Amino acid sequence: MKGLITKEALHKKTPQEITALLYEACLDRLEDAKDEINNKDYVQANINLQKVNDLLERLGAGLNYEAGIIADQFDAIYNYLADKVIEANVMKDTKKIDEVVALLESLASSWQEAMKADVSIQKHLAHKQKTSAYEKNIMSE
């Protein structure tokens, strides 16, 4: 098993970090399933592809639909990916797995960039608040 994480460590993760972990777990399982199909271990491939669909379901369940159309679009993407995983599983088709991997890698990469940008914004806002508090203190003296 790759990248095991304890329950305690998981509870310390932000929702954004958990999403990144779910993407990573999907990609790991897809690569394992692809290897298993190539080795004709169809039972284990089936198990891994079912786990990918479980992970995609968790990603969809974690969407905040108050975010508007973007949440609906992510839901549609996750449903599309789940359908492709089912097709890959039924047909034992590694090309369909490759398609899902390519899309998930793009999502995961974009998610990582968004998380980095969010950290930068949060740091900037924290610095701005400290500066503002300092300026208010100077002005009141």
Side-chain angles (χ1 to χ4, degrees), residues 29-44:
R29 296 286 182 176
L30 287 165
E31 290 301 329
D32 289 347
K34 190 173 159 184
D35 290 342
E36 291 153 359
I37 289 170
N38 288 332
N39 292 327
K40 302 200 183 322
D41 185 355
Y42 300 125
V43 172
Q44 193 58 45

Side-chain angles (χ1 to χ4, degrees), residues 7 23 26 35 38 42 66 69 92 98 103 128 136:
K7 284 185 181 182
Y23 285 145
C26 281
D35 290 342
N38 288 332
Y42 300 125
E66 293 176 11
I69 194 164
K92 302 302 184 244
D98 288 338
L103 288 168
K128 191 173 182 179
K136 286 179 185 174

Side-chain angles (χ1 to χ4, degrees), residues 76-95:
I77 291 168
Y78 296 148
N79 287 330
Y80 173 81
L81 292 171
D83 289 345
K84 286 294 172 192
V85 169
I86 291 168
E87 288 175 25
N89 198 4
V90 169
M91 301 166 79
K92 302 302 184 244
D93 185 343
T94 59
K95 286 185 174 37

Side-chain angles (χ1 to χ4, degrees), residues 39-79:
N39 292 327
K40 302 200 183 322
D41 185 355
Y42 300 125
V43 172
Q44 193 58 45
N46 176 53
I47 291 168
N48 275 315
L49 291 171
Q50 286 181 12
K51 287 181 181 179
V52 169
N53 268 347
D54 290 344
L55 293 166
L56 289 169
E57 187 177 324
R58 289 179 191 185
L59 283 163
L63 291 172
N64 177 359
Y65 288 95
E66 293 176 11
I69 194 164
I70 192 79
D72 294 331
Q73 291 171 336
F74 270 104
D75 188 49
I77 291 168
Y78 296 148
N79 287 330

